[in-house]
Amino acid sequence: MRAFGYDIDQLVIAHVLLAVVPVLVGLLVALPLGWWAHRSRPARRVLVPLSGALYTVPSLALIVFIPVVLGTPILSPVNVGITLTVYTVALLVRSVAEALDAVPDTITTAAIAVGYRSAGLLFGVQLPLAVPVLTAGLRVASVSAFSLVTVGALVGIPSLGTLMTDGFQQDYTAMVVTGIVGSVVLAFLFDALWLALGRSLTPWTRARTGV
Amino acid sequence: MIEFRDVGKRFADGTVGLESLTLTARAGEITVLVGPSGCGKTTSLRTVNRMVEITSGSVHLDGRDVAAADPAELRRGIGYVIQQAGLFPHRRVIDNVATVPVLQGLSRREARARAAEVLERVGLEAFAQRWPAQLSGGQQQRVGVARALAGDAPVLLMDEPFSAVDPVVRVELQDELLRLQADLGKTILFVTHDIDEAIRLGDRVAVMRVGGRLAQFAPPDELLAAPVDDFVAGFVGRDRGYRRLGFVPATALRLVDLPTRADANGSSGVPEEWTVLLDGAERPAAWLGPDGARHDLGSLYVTDDHDAASDGAGTLRGALDAALSSPAGRGVAVDGQGRYRGGVEADDVLALLDRGRETERSVARPGDTRR
Ligand SMILES: Nc1ncnc2c1ncn2[C@@H]1O[C@H](COP(=O)(O)OP(=O)(O)O)[C@@H](O)[C@H]1O
Ligand SMILES: [Mg+2]
């Protein structure tokens, strides 16, 4: 589909990839870090404030700073990808640590008592039970990634944000609105996807209680 | 068999959990650790499956020092039941029970089959597909027991498993444990702070003081009859004479004949003495007093009370309760189906108790007839 002289499909695909890949990579990075923060008090004292501080760095600053540090081309989508990954990690380290903290002691005690080793305990018991809290964190990270992707358009990385920046320059309101509505709709769609995924992984949370 | 040899545990913060515990839990028996909160019961239990690493002495399981075992492997061979059941909320009942067989290396299908067997044994097969949150506290506790049994471990560690449920359900769970134990003959180390529970369940009871020091280790009747010191005496309770009644089978108790009358004819004349009115199925319905009025029966003495001796006698406590709670001054005895058997005189109960005291050591424990 073309509009305003752009291939909209391609912008949508670019937008989605640019938002979703960093969120998933960020989650994978945040899991071991959050687990470490859950296990070790000193690690937590460093990791949690550090990730909080990272989140306060302005996105544009990161996007232009990353090529300087990593030597990536200034127009590479990787810069945006890494920026969003950093934000996701910053958001999720704490979520993961808190999700693991929230698993009741009686359950971890029982798991150790029946003979789980630490890996089995983590993947078989703690993580599954952490899914509701993790899903909540992931949804925040995802919504924020979908909106931050548009910032990349300022430095020429294509996404639906391109419609906003270019539309703004051309004083073309319909184009700007299309960009905004499109990115909001995508953010909602993926939010709904994470929600559905989280729910499908946690059927027990909807079991009627009582007998 | 579980042996504690001079076991000491000093925690990292310097707290002494156990000073020097020496105790043997015999194979096939229920050994109960009882004592005030913080005395080291949980710590003792956890030294067996190495959830607590001891700092002196040694713990032996069937002759082998547990320190030599791989902890996770060791735990897979020991059933463990905790207070809030500790079920995995994200697994259905059947998969909770299948946990240990899976960890032991069975395929999921084999493990489920094993779990289904165990659930059937504890009468929970109807709950197999439920989530733990859909069960009552008592049911969760039973699933916890089933999970501990599913690994086919010869040894069970139970840490206040029934403390969180209401007293009625607790007694049911205790009965069920005794029933299972009669079939399975596991070596059970059972922790409780409830002396009644200890006495009900234990083949031998270890009364502990703070620091895991043994105050007395003896079969329940001995504990009740001859507490070694004031601590144990205080712990087993001032009313231990009465408690002990609940414990002595009333095999030798003589039943007396009471005047009876069919309830249907109850109103035909005022009786000379207290008369039991029987319904169509020979079950006592009420007392008919010499005043011509109906009176409550009081508590009944069930002669083949299920938790008493197997030879058809209830306990002296049940008999005394019946005699003392009856308006007629004599209790009414019924069989397991509630049919009238005869009457109980309080004096007979007390006489038996006196005789029991004289032959203290020779009194057979009802527990000994359980298996
Ligand atoms: N991990 C621990 N660190 C320090 N002290 C502990 C620890 N676990 C238990 N204790 C202490 O050891 C003593 C015995 O505890 P515990 O075995 O749990 O008692 P019980 O089960 O009889 O109530 C208590 O004083 C308790 O506070
Ligand atoms: Mg305890």
Side-chain angles (χ1 to χ4, degrees):
Chain A
M1 187 176 82
R2 292 190 66 83
F4 318 113
Y6 285 96
D7 184 336
I8 302 292
D9 295 344
Q10 247 172 22
L11 289 183
V12 167
I13 289 169
H15 196 104
V16 167
L17 286 179
L18 221 44
V20 172
V21 172
V23 165
L24 296 181
V25 173
L27 175 63
L28 285 183
V29 175
L31 282 175
L33 291 178
W35 176 78
W36 192 26
H38 159 73
R39 287 287 294 248
S40 142
R41 206 180 279 267
R44 186 186 209 101
R45 277 210 206 99
V46 175
L47 286 172
V48 171
L50 185 70
S51 57
L54 266 182
Y55 199 70
T56 63
V57 178
S59 49
L60 199 54
L62 266 182
I63 292 172
V64 292
F65 190 60
I66 280 166
V68 178
V69 177
L70 298 183
T72 45
I74 190 93
L75 281 184
S76 167
V78 170
N79 302 331
V80 176
I82 291 178
T83 300
L84 296 187
T85 305
V86 167
Y87 281 133
T88 304
V89 171
L91 270 173
L92 290 185
V93 164
R94 194 188 182 135
S95 286
V96 172
E98 286 175 356
L100 294 176
D101 294 345
V103 175
D105 265 356
T106 47
I107 293 170
T108 38
T109 301
I112 291 168
V114 296
Y116 274 104
R117 300 179 200 276
S118 24
L121 177 66
L122 179 64
F123 291 104
V125 179
Q126 293 175 300
L127 276 183
L129 291 176
V131 165
V133 180
L134 283 182
T135 307
L138 188 70
R139 288 174 64 196
V140 173
S142 169
V143 165
S144 114
F146 270 94
S147 86
L148 283 175
V149 161
T150 59
V151 175
L154 289 175
V155 292
I157 315 292
S159 70
L160 287 179
T162 308
L163 296 180
M164 299 181 211
T165 50
D166 292 8
F168 196 69
Q169 274 168 10
Q170 298 164 29
D171 212 2
Y172 192 169
T173 312
M175 195 167 155
V176 175
V177 169
T178 305
I180 294 172
V181 170
S183 61
V184 168
V185 166
L186 285 182
F188 267 110
L189 279 179
F190 275 85
D191 188 52
L193 180 71
W194 305 134
L195 181 63
L197 200 66
R199 285 173 67 95
S200 77
L201 288 174
T202 57
W204 74 89
T205 57
R206 289 180 305 287
R208 273 192 319 110
T209 49
V211 182
Chain B
M1 186 171 72
I2 307 168
E3 289 166 90
F4 296 87
R5 298 189 192 158
D6 286 331
V7 173
K9 171 64 187 179
R10 179 184 290 272
F11 288 101
D13 65 359
T15 311
V16 177
L18 296 175
E19 246 163 42
S20 172
L21 176 66
T22 298
L23 178 139
T24 299
R26 293 191 204 157
E29 289 194 353
I30 301 181
T31 302
V32 178
L33 305 181
V34 66
S37 176
C39 71
K41 304 182 293 294
T42 297
T43 303
S44 312
L45 210 61
R46 290 187 176 180
T47 61
V48 179
N49 71 356
R50 291 186 54 190
M51 288 173 75
V52 165
E53 297 289 1
I54 61 181
T55 44
S56 61
S58 58
V59 178
H60 299 256
L61 198 59
D62 294 327
R64 278 190 296 273
D65 188 340
V66 297
D70 169 73
E73 285 299 330
L74 176 71
R75 290 169 197 152
R76 289 169 196 177
I78 300 176
Y80 195 93
V81 187
I82 57 179
Q83 189 173 340
Q84 277 95 18
L87 299 184
F88 304 124
H90 62 303
R91 296 197 185 142
R92 291 179 191 274
V93 165
I94 183 126
D95 290 321
N96 259 283
V97 177
T99 301
V100 177
V102 167
L103 286 172
Q104 287 171 337
L106 294 196
S107 72
R108 191 157 292 276
R109 208 164 49 86
E110 292 167 321
R112 285 220 176 107
R114 170 86 189 117
E117 268 170 43
V118 177
L119 282 174
E120 202 175 317
R121 163 153 247 153
V122 299
L124 286 172
E125 61 273 31
F127 298 100
Q129 294 305 321
R130 297 238 189 135
W131 300 106
Q134 294 173 309
L135 305 181
S136 69
Q139 289 163 343
Q140 291 189 22
Q141 232 15 283
R142 290 163 68 205
V143 174
V145 173
R147 183 173 66 185
L149 293 174
D152 224 3
V155 174
L156 293 188
L157 306 177
M158 307 182 81
D159 194 352
E160 311 219 12
F162 308 146
S163 301
V165 296
D166 68 71
V168 175
V169 175
R170 189 178 315 152
V171 171
E172 285 171 20
L173 290 170
Q174 290 166 352
D175 284 344
E176 181 164 356
L177 179 65
L178 291 176
R179 183 176 64 75
L180 284 169
Q181 173 65 353
D183 283 356
L184 301 174
K186 303 277 185 189
T187 304
I188 300 179
L189 199 54
F190 189 106
V191 160
T192 180
H193 61 258
D194 174 358
I195 186 70
D196 284 325
E197 183 166 72
I199 282 168
R200 210 149 177 260
L201 296 179
D203 293 293
R204 291 163 74 78
V205 176
V207 181
M208 291 171 97
R209 315 167 192 264
V210 173
R213 280 174 302 146
L214 266 193
Q216 188 169 5
F217 184 37
D221 58 342
E222 191 180 321
L223 209 61
L224 292 167
V228 288
D229 59 18
D230 287 349
F231 173 79
V232 177
F235 200 75
V236 300
R238 267 192 304 275
D239 58 343
R240 67 180 187 279
Y242 181 66
R243 270 208 185 99
R244 196 163 164 272
L245 286 175
F247 200 64
V248 176
T251 27
L253 184 67
R254 171 181 71 103
L255 294 185
V256 296
D257 281 333
L258 299 173
T260 62
R261 196 186 275 189
D263 194 10
N265 313 326
S267 49
S268 64
V270 175
E272 303 247 297
E273 52 178 333
W274 288 88
T275 300
V276 180
L277 297 177
L278 302 178
D279 70 9
E282 291 280 294
R283 288 184 305 242
W287 279 108
L288 185 61
D291 56 357
R294 293 169 71 97
H295 297 263
D296 272 353
L297 287 167
S299 79
L300 297 174
Y301 164 54
V302 184
T303 53
D304 47 5
D305 190 354
H306 63 290
D307 74 17
S310 56
D311 48 7
T315 62
L316 285 183
R317 180 170 175 173
L320 190 61
D321 271 341
L324 296 180
S325 65
S326 162
R330 306 153 118 189
V332 179
V334 294
D335 65 15
Q337 279 75 50
R339 286 186 301 258
Y340 169 78
R341 286 277 311 274
V344 181
E345 302 270 9
D347 285 348
D348 288 346
V349 180
L350 295 173
L352 265 184
L353 184 64
D354 280 343
R355 240 193 296 154
R357 281 221 182 85
E358 284 155 20
T359 52
E360 204 77 81
R361 295 288 181 275
S362 63
V363 172
R365 282 192 53 224
D368 295 339
T369 58
R370 277 202 306 257
R371 63 184 74 94

